[in-house]
Each structure stands twice: as structure tokens, then as C-alpha cells.
Amino acid sequence: MVGIWLVVLMILSNGLSSSGVGTNDSRIPEFVDIGALFSFNTTVGRVVKLAIETAVEDINSDPSILGETKLRVSMQEDSKYRGFLSIAEVLQLMSKHTVAIIGPQTSITAHVISHVANELQVPLLSFSATEPTLSSLQFPFFVRTAPNDIYQMTAIAEIINYYGWREVIAVYVDDDQGRNGIAALGDKLAERRCKISYKAPMSPEATREEITDVLVQVALDESRIIVLHTNPNWGPKVLSVAKYLGMMGTGYVWITSSFLSAVLDTDGALSPDGINDIQGVLTLRVYTPDTELKRRFSSRWKNMTRGMTSNGPLGLSTFGLFAYDTVCLLARALDKFFKQGNQITFSYDSKLSELHGGSLHLDALNIFDQGKMLRENIYGINMTGVTGHIKYTSDGNLVNPAYEIINVIGTASRRVGYWSNYSGLSVVPPEALYSKLANRSSASQKLLPVIWPGETTQKPRGWVFPNNGRHLRIGIPRRVSYREFVSQVKGTDLFKGFSIDVFLSAVNLLPYAVPYKFIPFGDGHSNPSNTELVRLITAGVFDAAVGDITITTERTRLVDFTQPYIESGLVVVAPVRKLESNAWAFLRPFTPMMWCVTAIFFLAVGAVVWILEHRLNDDFRGPPKKQVVTILWFSFSTMFFAHRENTVSTLGRFVLIIWLFVVLIINSSYTASLTSILTVQQLSSPIKGISSLVNSKEPVGYLQGSFTRNYLVEEVGIHESRLVPLKTQDETAKALKDGPKKGGVAAYIDERAYIELFLSSRCDFTIVGQEFTRNGWGFAFPRDSPLAVDLSTAILELAENGDLQRIHDKWLLSSACLSQGAKLEVDRLELKAFWGLYLICGFACLLALLIYFIQTMRQYNKHHTEDLETSGRSSTSSRLKTFLSFVDEKEEEVKHRSKRRQMERISYRSNSEIGSLSVSTTMCSNKGYAQSSSNRSIDCNNEA
């Protein structure tokens, strides 16, 4: 490839003037030559030219940059605006020993002359050639001084995703800029599950008629989201033709790349009619922060362009800002280059020097020896310009790329938000978010309201049915069983059934017409596979599928489903037999464990009440035989609340009231269950549900063509050799009746919607166990189909207004066997349903016994301590016998005996005192006191 371009260079270099050979001057040069290659005769070119001249003037007047060295710029008109002929023009710049070239304007030219720049090692600094592939390693001397288009396409993709659109149309000029930019857009859309549904390329020199032909094809497509990516020259023409064709009205969305904002910013670039052509359009503008430096430059620009009215007003666009900063960036890189002690030298290319003679002046083309070093200095610059912070990342792109999102309204434009590579869509300037943690969640993505084409603020739906006469091809399963859901009217192309009626009712609620055609799928002799029907949508055979199609994980990986219009999980159906009553039917309400525990508690509560009442209540006293009978009688008589014994203790009453509450609950439950058993016809089945089927080895039936087979094998774990496909309802009924012994099946597994129809007239079978999957039926459409979303909304509306239930009743409501008073055998009442009551009762008994024991010990210690001391019996056995005797003794007798002993002690004490008094009197008379009898009596009493 390099050799080919060298030949082209040699041919086109005829006539180039020679400007001397390379130099090795050690001094810093007085001038540094740079070039500028642009289409300066265009509106954008005039802005760029003035910005470059202003920047050069500012650099040369600032001694802090480059010192005494001045920049000398050579302006080269890219008059042809093409890549091939631009080679000669760029060679004219390079023959002047230029160290760098600002430009070119387009990516086409950049692709061509980058090969020349690689050979001569002259950096190309471009702010307008932004297509992504120029950043490849193939072009090391191409330096982009504006954001890469990859970021612009990311912003467009995020806008499309923000509004919930899934398909877009790309209209673009079929050149390097347009083609590679749209390729990048497609990649970014795919990352967000969106896609370009139709690409509409145009020739770079397309006439109005050719543009019209392209847009007519666009109008026939389904999508109404159009992304326009072209250059400032052709973009307004495309929009003008779109306005003429009525494609700027309600329902359309036009999103353009940044070319339109450059046109709008350049005052006078569009006429009033041109402004009217782009109402409601969204466009992007490279974001430049509103700094003091930018404001001063904008004010200065207005002063400079005030008198320039020959070609119309000259507004300051982003091209002008980036052109100014590109010159400043190059100047700072050169300043750093010289401060490093480097020189500017050129040398011959040996290959070119060998081709001498004739009229070819190839000696004018020299290699810039320090080109790589200057390029590295350019990438190492970290500065602030009128466009904001300028710094390069390791991949050669500018840091923090950002865009403004502009909505064209009236004669001006309105900013509705920002996009930045750091935080996505927002309504605040990007620099305000750089100091915060990056937040790309959907809740943080925001834009202001937009006025769309047609002057509406309502977000366009984004698609219509294509106006090309094509109908939706809707696949309908041709069933041989359960035809109430889907069936073909014999001899016609019409279909009927529950699923068909739901689809037709939902379509009638849509705000637009849906042209469709039902196409049967299946041979009519066996049920077709709905999974295969769904797969044919992905293959393009069908545009949708309508019928009794279950929404499964496998199928959702292939297509999108609507909102389920009926719930239908898998259930097990098995034969049942009538359960006849017998002499022991009264025992059926409770399980054996329940009977045992209940009996134990009856005895336990009776014993506890006897213990609590024995010392107080005569009804609970007497001979041992009588006490045992009393306990048994009291225990079981409480079942009927017929106990005759009164409870007198507080603790006994506490236990009894809790126990009677438990008995009340048990009696009520027993009565209800026994009533159901004796009055309702009972059905029983050896199959209890899916678990019992998994553990058995018997064959299981399923509906042919259903997803049930794969689910039972892969998810449930039933071996496929046990599965028997069944086609019709009659075949299923026969297989269930025959059973495994006669070549039938033990159970049948299918979706509840089918089973309800199956059981409506077959009372020998019933559903056993619980529904073990949660599925629904929906209509299938290709991935990201907008029709699936709209139909889901319509189905919800049908459910809310009752129409869905009425359709269900029309097709599926029928008398069920449950209306005959038959039911599957109810579960017997188990202990786990009453363990809470028993726990409360047991706790109450233990608490009462604990309190009773404490009280008894206190009485025992109070009334029997002295007896033990006087008797001298302190062994453990004697104490235990004494305590048991005390417990068995009636409390009233204990208290009476204790009182009698207390009286005896008092009497004994009194007798002792009287004996002492007699002794004292005798002693007094022997002393011979002479006092009077009365005084003696007093003295003796005192002595006594």
C-alpha cells in the first residue's frame, strides 16, 4: 500500500518547487512553518481560517510561548474537497518544510494524506476529521484535536435507549466519515439491545432527486427514528427534502450528528425556510465549558466579524473554537520541543532521491527527522484552552468528551441536556459531575422535555407498520386436541378459539391498524411443537406466533412475549376411587399420632388436677382404687364438659380452664372433619403429587408437542423412558383408566388450562398435589418488537375492563365434576396443626405443679420441723416418708393438728408458771417477815 502511494506522490509532485535541503542549524529558528489544509471557501472554512489567523497572531505576540520564534502558517485551499486531488495540495504544504499541518477538513482526505504524513513523518492535527478508524495504529501521525465520533455515536445510542426506542434508520453519506460513523453507531446500539433496522447511504455528490429516492425508501420502512450523519454541506439538503416529503411531521424523530449545530452556530448559514425545515430536530454540539476564557474570546470574535458581511454574518461555531485551540496546542508542543534542546531538520528520502531527472522535482519532499518527537510532545500537552481542558489519554483521545443535546425550536435552538462519557445523560453541565462518583443508573439519566416534529411534546411511538402492502405473517398452531383454544374453521383460512379471540380483541384496542395474515403451522394430525413455532420467528419465517404458547425460559431466549393472558402451570392428574364409609370412619378425622397425644394429655391433665386438688377437695380423696377411677373419670369427662368434680384450688381452676379451651378446639375440629367425611363423597388416589411420581417407576403421560416432556426430563428428573406422549383427550382418558398394568399410565401431567377442560366432563380423574410450575400463555414476537409492548398494554386493558374474563367464560366455562359433591380425600388432622395448643396446656400444667410444690414445701417446713427435731429422725428415708404422708394428708387436718399442738404448748407453759409461783410463796413464809399479810403478799408477788 505504501509503495502505491509513493508512485502517486511521484506523479503528482511534478511542478513542485524546491526549497532547499535539510539543515542542521543549531540555533532556534526565527520562524517555524506550519500548514493549514481546509476548504476555506465554505462557511465553516471561513470561520476556521479566521480562528487560525487569530491564534497565530496571539501566539506570536506572546513571548512566553516560543520566545523569539514565530509561527508562520501557509493556508492551502482544499478546493476539490476530495481525497485524491488533495494529495497535490498537501504536497505543496509539505514542500515548504512544514513541521505540522492543521487539517484536513474531511475524513476522506485524512485517510488519503495520512499515508503521506506517515512517510514524511509530519503530524496532521485535525478537529473536523473525527471518524473513529483514524485513531487506528495505521495512522500514527494523525492527531485528533476534537472528540472522536465514537463518543458522538455513543451519545446518540444513549438518547435512543433513554426514550425506549429499539430500531432506527441510518441516513448517511457513503464515504469514510459516514460509513465508519454509522458502523460505530450500530455497535453502540447493539450494546443496548437496539439496532439499525435500515441503512440508507447516499452518494457524496447526491442530487436532490437522488436524495428524494433514498428518503422515499426510508418512509416505507417501519421505524420512524432517523439518524442523519453527513457533512454541513449535504445535511441541510437532506432535511429540506424530508420536509418536502412530509417526513418532518408528527410521529417522526430526527437525530443528527454535530454537523447541524455547526451550521446553526454559523449565523446566516440557513435561510428562514431552512430553519423551518428542521423544526423539532435533535442535534449534538461538542460541549465546551462556559469559562471566562471562552467568554472573552466570543466577545472578541464579535468585534472581529462585525464588518465581515460580504458573505453573511460569521458566527462562532465549535469548529472555530477547536481551530484556535489546535494552533495553541501545536505552539505549546513546539515550545516544549525546543526547550528539550531539539532542532528542526529535514532529510532526503533515499527512495525519492534515486528517482531524479526529468521534470519531477521530488527533492522538494523531505522527511521531518524530529516528527515522532514532536508528536509525542503534542500528546503530552496538558493545558486549558477556549474549549476547556485539553489532555490526551493513552489511546490518543481527548479526556472527558461531552456533548450538548440541542432541540431546534422556532428560529433558535434549546439545550435539553448534556451527554458525557463520565456520567451519561444529565441536565447539569458535565464538569459539575466530575467531582462526584460516576452514576450511570437509569434513574440518574435525565433530559428536559423535547418538542418533537409536528410541534408535539408527546414522545413519538417511534414506529409504524410499513406502508409497503406487506402483512404480518402470524403463525397459528394447528391443534388436534383442546381445540377450544385454537382451531381452524374447516374449509377456510379462518381460525377461532380462546387465544384467537384474545388476540383480535387486543388488536382492536391498538391506536393503529395492524395488517396481518394467519398462517397455520402443523400437519393437522398431531399437535405441533410450539418451541419450533417460536424458533421459526427468529428464522424470519413468521413475524409473530399466536396461540396457546407457554412462556418458558428457553423460548424467552429466542423471542419477546406479550403480557400473559392466562395463567397455566403444570399439574398432575390421576384416577381416583370412591372412598366408602365403614364402621371405623369415626377414627378417620385424626391421625394415629394425634389420637395418642390427645389421650396422653387427657390423662396427664387429669393427674395434674388430682394433684392440685387432693389436699383440699374431698372429691379427689379416698381409697387408692377410688382415686384412680376419679382421675380416669375426670380426665375423659372433660371431653364432653361433663365432669362432676368441683375444683376448689386456684391452680386447679387455672389448669382446667386452659384444658377446656383446648378440648373445645379439638372437639370443633373433629366434628367439622367427621361431618365432611360422612356427608361428602370422598375420593382417594395412590398418587399424591409430583413427588410420588418421581419416586415411582410407573409410566407418566404428557401432551404431545408440549414443553412438558423436556421439563419433566431436565428439571424434574423423570427418565424419558417413562414418558408416554398422548395426542387427544380421549386417548388420555383411556390411558388413565387402563393404568400401568394394562399398558396405560399412572398419571397425566399437563397445564392447568388444558386440565380444567379435560376434567369438566371426566369425573373419574382429579388433580392431585399442588401446581408445581408457574407459567402463562402469551403471544410471541421478534426480539425488541414494539408491537409486543403495545399488545401487552392492550391485554392489561382487556383484563381491567372485564373483557378477558368474558372471553374466558365463552370458551372455557363448563360444569366441573366438583359440582357433584365429590372431592379428593381431605388430609387427616395431624399433630402439627395443634401442637401450639398442647404446648400452652403443658406449660400451664408444669407451672401449676411448680407453684404447688413450692407452697407445699413451705407448709411442710412450717408444720413438721418441730416433729422431726423431737423425734430425732433425720434420715433421708424418714424425711421422705414424712413428706409423702404430709402430702397425702388433707390440708385442713394438718392445720388443725398444728393448731392443737400450739394450744398444748401454751397450756404447758401456763402450768409451769403456776408451779413456780407456789414455790416462791412457801419461801416467803419461812423468812418470817413482820409485815402485814397484805404487804407480804405484795412482796412475795414481787419476788415471784
Side-chain angles (χ1 to χ4, degrees):
M1 184 67 183
V2 174
I4 295 174
W5 285 113
L6 286 175
V7 173
V8 174
L9 292 177
M10 288 185 290
I11 296 174
L12 294 178
S13 297
N14 187 19
L16 293 178
S17 60
S18 176
S19 60
V21 297
T23 65
N24 290 302
D25 191 356
S26 61
R27 295 181 297 104
I28 295 178
E30 182 180 358
F31 293 98
V32 175
D33 290 312
I34 62 173
L37 180 64
F38 223 87
S39 298
F40 296 115
N41 288 329
T42 62
T43 303
V44 173
R46 294 198 303 273
V47 173
V48 170
K49 182 179 181 181
L50 180 58
I52 291 176
E53 291 173 345
T54 304
V56 171
E57 180 182 343
D58 291 347
I59 293 298
N60 290 338
S61 61
D62 187 354
S64 64
I65 304 176
L66 292 176
E68 299 297 325
T69 303
K70 306 297 182 184
L71 288 180
R72 186 163 56 189
V73 61
S74 298
M75 300 282 188
Q76 178 63 51
E77 173 68 28
D78 187 5
S79 58
K80 301 300 181 184
Y81 202 49
R82 301 173 182 173
F84 185 74
L85 295 180
S86 297
I87 295 178
E89 295 165 346
V90 75
L91 289 176
Q92 293 181 21
L93 290 176
M94 292 184 175
S95 65
K96 301 176 181 178
H97 287 177
T98 54
V99 297
I101 295 177
I102 299 173
Q105 181 168 339
T106 66
S107 297
I108 303 172
T109 307
H111 271 282
V112 175
I113 67 175
S114 289
H115 293 286
V116 181
N118 288 347
E119 289 299 316
L120 302 182
Q121 299 186 12
V122 176
L124 294 177
L125 288 76
S126 180
F127 49 84
S128 56
T130 54
E131 70 95 353
T133 62
L134 286 169
S135 296
S136 65
L137 299 177
Q138 183 182 7
F139 307 114
F141 283 89
F142 179 84
V143 179
R144 185 181 284 109
T145 60
N148 191 329
D149 267 354
I150 194 73
Y151 301 113
Q152 181 173 205
M153 296 307 162
T154 304
I156 293 175
E158 292 201 8
I159 292 172
I160 292 168
N161 184 62
Y162 172 79
Y163 287 110
W165 299 314
R166 287 292 172 260
E167 295 185 1
V168 303
I169 297 174
V171 180
Y172 59 96
V173 172
D174 194 11
D175 57 15
D176 292 330
Q177 178 89 11
R179 190 167 48 251
N180 294 331
I182 293 301
L185 175 62
D187 293 340
K188 295 303 177 181
L189 287 172
E191 293 175 5
R192 293 156 180 82
R193 287 191 60 185
C194 305
K195 66 178 182 180
I196 299 175
S197 61
Y198 179 70
K199 291 183 179 181
M202 296 182 299
S203 169
E205 297 182 355
T207 63
R208 188 176 181 88
E209 289 74 17
E210 292 172 338
I211 295 174
T212 301
D213 293 339
V214 170
L215 293 185
V216 167
Q217 294 300 315
V218 169
L220 295 177
D221 196 74
E222 179 180 296
S223 178
R224 286 294 180 264
I225 313 300
I226 304 172
V227 176
L228 178 60
H229 182 48
T230 180
N231 54 61
N233 287 345
W234 297 105
K237 295 180 182 179
V238 176
L239 296 172
S240 176
V241 174
K243 176 70 173 180
Y244 173 76
L245 295 175
M247 298 174 66
M248 283 291 177
T250 304
Y252 281 90
V253 174
W254 285 83
I255 303 175
T256 76
S257 53
S258 58
F259 77 86
L260 185 58
S261 62
V263 173
L264 293 173
D265 291 338
T266 306
D267 298 336
L270 286 178
S271 64
D273 290 340
I275 291 291
N276 189 52
D277 291 341
I278 60 176
Q279 294 299 300
V281 173
L282 285 181
T283 186
L284 299 181
R285 176 195 291 142
V286 180
Y287 176 68
T288 55
D290 187 21
T291 60
E292 180 64 26
L293 191 61
K294 177 183 173 182
R295 286 194 293 268
R296 287 202 304 265
F297 185 76
S298 299
S299 177
R300 179 184 173 191
W301 184 270
K302 291 179 181 179
N303 295 330
M304 290 189 300
T305 59
R306 183 170 295 135
M308 302 174 61
T309 58
S310 58
N311 293 313
L314 202 61
L316 178 60
S317 65
T318 54
F319 283 121
L321 295 174
F322 279 102
Y324 183 89
D325 274 352
T326 299
V327 176
C328 296
L329 172 68
L330 178 58
R332 292 180 182 276
L334 286 169
D335 184 56
K336 185 178 180 181
F337 174 84
F338 289 129
K339 289 179 179 179
Q340 293 171 347
N342 297 310
Q343 305 173 19
I344 294 178
T345 62
F346 293 85
S347 61
Y348 289 117
D349 187 336
S350 59
K351 296 179 181 179
L352 293 179
S353 61
E354 293 174 359
L355 300 174
H356 59 276
S359 59
L360 297 178
H361 298 280
L362 299 180
D363 55 349
L365 299 177
N366 302 299
I367 297 175
F368 178 27
D369 297 327
Q370 291 78 31
K372 292 182 180 180
M373 193 171 298
L374 177 59
R375 181 192 62 189
E376 296 305 317
N377 282 324
I378 292 174
Y379 281 130
I381 290 298
N382 186 356
M383 59 173 279
T384 299
V386 294
T387 59
H389 186 207
I390 300 175
K391 183 181 178 182
Y392 284 94
T393 60
S394 58
D395 59 358
N397 288 309
L398 292 173
V399 298
N400 299 328
Y403 291 87
E404 297 177 77
I405 303 171
I406 306 298
N407 185 203
V408 180
I409 300 298
T411 59
S413 59
R414 184 175 69 98
R415 183 174 55 233
V416 297
Y418 304 88
W419 177 90
S420 71
N421 194 46
Y422 182 77
S423 57
L425 301 174
S426 67
V427 294
V428 298
E431 64 268 17
L433 302 174
Y434 292 150
S435 59
K436 304 177 182 178
L437 290 176
N439 185 0
R440 301 301 291 267
S441 65
S442 58
S444 67
Q445 306 298 292
K446 295 180 181 179
L447 291 177
L448 297 175
V450 174
I451 299 179
W452 305 100
E455 298 183 359
T456 177
T457 56
Q458 183 177 2
K459 186 196 77 172
R461 188 172 69 246
W463 68 279
V464 295
F465 279 97
N467 187 21
N468 54 12
R470 180 178 174 274
H471 288 64
L472 283 178
R473 296 163 298 177
I474 300 179
I476 305 293
R478 185 183 290 173
R479 301 194 57 84
V480 296
S481 63
Y482 302 111
R483 296 170 62 85
E484 292 85 352
F485 294 100
V486 178
S487 63
Q488 187 173 8
V489 179
K490 190 174 182 179
T492 68
D493 293 334
L494 302 178
F495 286 82
K496 64 179 181 179
F498 171 70
S499 299
I500 301 299
D501 279 5
V502 173
F503 175 76
L504 296 177
S505 299
V507 167
N508 289 335
L509 292 178
L510 298 178
Y512 48 85
V514 180
Y516 60 87
K517 180 181 180 181
F518 288 149
I519 302 175
F521 173 70
D523 56 13
H525 302 293
S526 60
N527 292 320
S529 170
N530 284 339
T531 300
E532 178 63 18
L533 174 59
V534 168
R535 191 194 66 78
L536 291 177
I537 296 177
T538 63
V541 177
F542 297 118
D543 298 315
V546 171
D548 49 343
I549 304 173
T550 306
I551 303 172
T552 65
T553 302
E554 178 186 3
R555 294 170 184 173
T556 54
R557 293 192 182 105
L558 301 175
V559 297
D560 281 348
F561 282 92
T562 62
Q563 172 78 17
Y565 61 88
I566 188 173
E567 298 295 330
S568 184
L570 291 178
V571 293
V572 178
V573 174
V576 292
R577 61 180 178 84
K578 295 180 181 179
L579 193 63
E580 303 294 340
S581 298
N582 55 46
W584 303 102
F586 68 92
L587 295 176
R588 200 179 301 162
F590 289 164
T591 62
M593 178 61 71
M594 181 66 182
W595 279 117
C596 292
V597 172
T598 302
I600 291 172
F601 262 85
F602 269 107
L603 294 174
V605 171
V608 170
V609 173
W610 178 84
I611 292 173
L612 298 176
E613 294 290 324
H614 179 68
R615 301 184 67 240
L616 299 175
N617 195 338
D618 290 336
D619 291 340
F620 292 87
R621 298 186 65 80
K625 182 178 180 180
K626 178 185 177 182
Q627 299 305 302
V628 172
V629 173
T630 300
I631 292 174
L632 294 176
W633 164 254
F634 181 83
S635 298
F636 291 102
S637 63
T638 56
M639 179 185 297
F640 312 103
F641 305 97
H643 51 284
R644 294 174 301 178
E645 293 79 8
N646 293 323
T647 52
V648 297
S649 68
T650 303
L651 294 176
R653 291 174 178 175
F654 168 70
V655 171
L656 184 61
I657 195 66
I658 293 178
W659 173 243
L660 291 179
F661 174 75
V662 174
V663 171
L664 176 65
I665 300 300
I666 293 175
N667 282 342
S668 301
S669 303
Y670 176 85
T671 303
S673 180
L674 183 62
T675 301
S676 175
I677 291 172
L678 297 179
T679 58
V680 178
Q681 178 180 312
Q682 299 293 302
L683 305 176
S684 67
S685 171
I687 305 298
K688 303 302 180 183
I690 188 65
S691 299
S692 60
L693 280 179
V694 173
N695 297 328
S696 70
K697 302 297 183 181
E698 296 178 333
V700 179
Y702 69 95
L703 182 63
Q704 183 191 46
S706 170
F707 77 99
T708 307
R709 180 184 182 280
N710 290 339
Y711 184 85
L712 293 178
V713 173
E714 298 173 4
E715 301 296 334
V716 179
I718 297 178
H719 196 274
E720 57 183 350
S721 62
R722 296 175 54 197
L723 299 178
V724 179
L726 301 170
K727 294 182 181 180
T728 64
Q729 294 162 266
D730 293 337
E731 185 179 349
T732 301
K734 183 178 183 304
L736 285 171
K737 287 180 179 179
D738 291 344
K741 295 181 180 180
K742 297 182 180 181
V745 296
Y748 175 72
I749 298 178
D750 208 343
E751 298 182 73
R752 179 175 286 276
Y754 296 139
I755 295 304
E756 289 177 354
L757 277 177
F758 177 76
L759 295 179
S760 63
S761 58
R762 295 173 176 83
C763 301
D764 297 335
F765 316 108
T766 190
I767 297 174
V768 293
Q770 300 295 321
E771 189 173 327
F772 59 93
T773 65
R774 293 291 181 182
N775 300 106
W777 292 355
F779 306 134
F781 291 88
R783 299 296 297 270
D784 302 318
S785 171
L787 188 56
V789 178
D790 289 352
L791 274 179
S792 294
T793 304
I795 290 172
L796 291 175
E797 187 175 345
L798 288 175
E800 292 172 356
N801 61 25
D803 287 345
L804 190 59
Q805 185 62 43
R806 283 188 285 272
I807 297 172
H808 178 276
D809 295 344
K810 171 186 174 182
W811 289 99
L812 307 181
L813 186 63
S814 57
S815 59
C817 291
L818 293 178
S819 62
Q820 300 176 6
K823 61 181 293 187
L824 191 65
E825 180 184 7
V826 296
D827 292 334
R828 306 173 74 180
L829 297 175
E830 298 180 359
L831 179 62
K832 63 182 181 181
F834 298 93
W835 72 269
L837 287 173
Y838 286 129
L839 179 64
I840 294 173
C841 183
F843 177 77
C845 291
L846 293 176
L847 180 62
L849 288 175
L850 177 63
I851 296 175
Y852 174 77
F853 178 75
I854 294 173
Q855 291 177 343
T856 303
M857 288 299 297
R858 290 180 62 188
Q859 291 181 6
Y860 176 76
N861 291 332
K862 178 180 179 181
H863 297 294
H864 280 261
T865 302
E866 294 180 0
D867 291 344
L868 292 174
E869 292 176 353
T870 57
S871 63
R873 294 178 297 174
S874 59
S875 65
T876 302
S877 59
S878 60
R879 282 178 170 272
L880 180 61
K881 290 179 181 179
T882 304
F883 178 74
L884 292 177
S885 299
F886 174 79
V887 172
D888 185 60
E889 192 175 7
K890 192 174 182 180
E891 184 177 339
E892 184 179 349
E893 294 177 358
V894 173
K895 291 182 179 179
H896 179 72
R897 185 174 63 252
S898 177
K899 185 176 181 180
R900 187 176 64 248
R901 288 177 178 175
Q902 185 177 5
M903 295 298 296
E904 290 175 353
R905 291 193 194 97
I906 294 174
S907 175
Y908 176 78
R909 189 180 297 113
S910 299
N911 293 335
S912 298
E913 290 177 355
I914 293 172
S916 299
L917 181 59
S918 300
V919 173
S920 299
T921 304
T922 303
M923 291 176 65
C924 289
S925 60
N926 292 333
K927 287 182 179 182
Y929 287 101
Q931 289 90 345
S932 61
S933 60
S934 59
N935 291 336
R936 284 197 309 268
S937 175
I938 294 172
D939 292 339
C940 288
N941 288 337
N942 291 335
E943 290 179 7

